[in-house]
Amino acid sequence: MLPTLDCRNDPQWLIKACNLMRTLGMVAVEGVLDEEFVREARAAMYRAQAAVLQEVGKERLDRSDELGVIRLPLKGVFQTRFHMDFPRVLNGYLMSINLMFAIDEYRVDNGATQFLLGSHQQRTPPDVEALRSTAIQGVCPAGSMILFDSTLYHAAGTNVSSSDRVAVNHGFVPPWVKQHIDIVRMLGDDFVQSLPRRTQSLLGWDARVPANLDEYYKPPAERLYKGGQG
């Protein structure tokens, strides 16, 4: 059974979620996003998909097994095979976590993500094929968040419905781990500085890399990489 919590009605949900992350490697949290946000996010993701296809081109995306922000048919790409998103086990240290937001309802027929509970933080890979029948699917309502240790084995299910299953999958790591894409540089300083302070930090504003000696030798208060981040 999928471990599930309700953040709107359970004041202890965060403590329980941390405990489930340690023991099972994942938990689903319902009631995170409201209906209006879900509607706006869904429309925005399709706009983003069209922009990515136009800028990058389908050939380059196909070559990278990366079909853009909206992962259209996942047939044949690695997400449909059981895998770790962070394939490095570091003596139990939680280096990376995933937050997967269900913009559409996650159902069995639309390919809800499958999880192998307890398969996280294992130096020896499990026999995935032998365990496939024990996988659980992350069935949950739209607006839910699935939180999991990035070393947990998981795979996209098979979407046999007539519609997409839209989701946003975030990966969070310590600030000293390099991002796949330099989000701050991509968005631009002016835009990032217009965001709430906490959002700036999560995007990497406090973990920028100096590009020259002048930036490197700035006074502590002006340094691009802020201290005290672990």
Side-chain angles (χ1 to χ4, degrees):
M1 180 179 294
L2 180 72
T4 303
L5 301 171
D6 185 343
C7 69
R8 294 181 178 175
N9 298 308
D10 185 352
Q12 300 296 315
W13 75 268
L14 184 55
I15 295 174
K16 294 177 182 178
C18 291
N19 289 333
L20 288 166
M21 281 281 290
R22 281 190 289 270
T23 56
L24 298 179
M26 63 87 62
V27 60
V29 183
E30 296 182 0
V32 176
L33 306 176
D34 60 41
E35 291 183 8
E36 180 180 1
F37 184 92
V38 166
R39 285 195 300 271
E40 293 176 353
R42 195 174 201 278
M45 290 179 70
Y46 279 112
R47 291 195 300 270
Q49 179 203 16
V52 169
L53 284 172
Q54 182 175 3
E55 179 176 340
V56 180
K58 187 176 185 301
E59 181 181 352
R60 291 169 64 191
L61 293 172
D62 284 344
R63 187 168 63 240
S64 301
D65 269 351
E66 176 54 70
L67 302 179
V69 175
I70 303 287
R71 297 185 190 276
L72 291 174
L74 284 173
K75 182 178 180 181
V77 297
F78 78 89
Q79 290 92 347
T80 58
R81 300 190 294 272
F82 279 97
H83 63 281
M84 298 176 171
D85 276 3
F86 188 86
R88 301 164 187 84
V89 177
L90 305 172
N91 199 30
Y93 180 72
L94 183 58
M95 177 69 81
S96 175
I97 61 173
N98 284 63
L99 273 68
M100 184 182 292
F101 292 95
I103 303 302
D104 286 329
E105 179 185 12
Y106 270 37
R107 306 188 308 270
V108 172
D109 72 307
N110 70 2
T113 306
Q114 303 174 78
F115 298 93
L116 293 175
L117 295 184
S119 64
H120 59 303
Q121 299 293 343
Q122 295 188 25
R123 289 186 178 277
T124 303
D127 186 341
V128 172
E129 291 306 316
L131 295 175
R132 184 176 292 276
S133 62
T134 69
I136 63 165
Q137 284 194 274
V139 175
C140 58
S144 299
M145 171 183 73
I146 298 179
L147 172 67
F148 61 98
D149 184 320
S150 301
T151 65
L152 185 77
Y153 280 84
H154 62 286
T158 302
N159 189 345
V160 296
S161 73
S162 59
S163 59
D164 296 326
R165 175 176 56 84
V166 181
V168 180
N169 187 13
H170 292 289
F172 290 91
V173 295
W176 40 267
V177 176
K178 190 177 292 294
Q179 297 171 317
H180 288 174
I181 294 177
D182 189 337
I183 297 175
V184 168
R185 187 157 58 94
M186 177 183 69
L187 295 175
D189 290 3
D190 291 343
F191 178 80
V192 174
Q193 288 183 293
S194 72
L195 300 172
R197 187 67 188 85
R198 177 59 173 160
T199 304
Q200 295 177 21
S201 181
L202 289 172
L203 292 176
W205 180 258
D206 295 334
R208 291 169 292 161
V209 178
N212 52 55
L213 292 178
D214 180 60
E215 290 182 348
Y216 184 85
Y217 286 108
K218 282 183 177 294
E222 300 176 20
R223 288 176 184 168
L224 302 184
Y225 189 100
K226 302 295 189 292
Q229 299 186 79

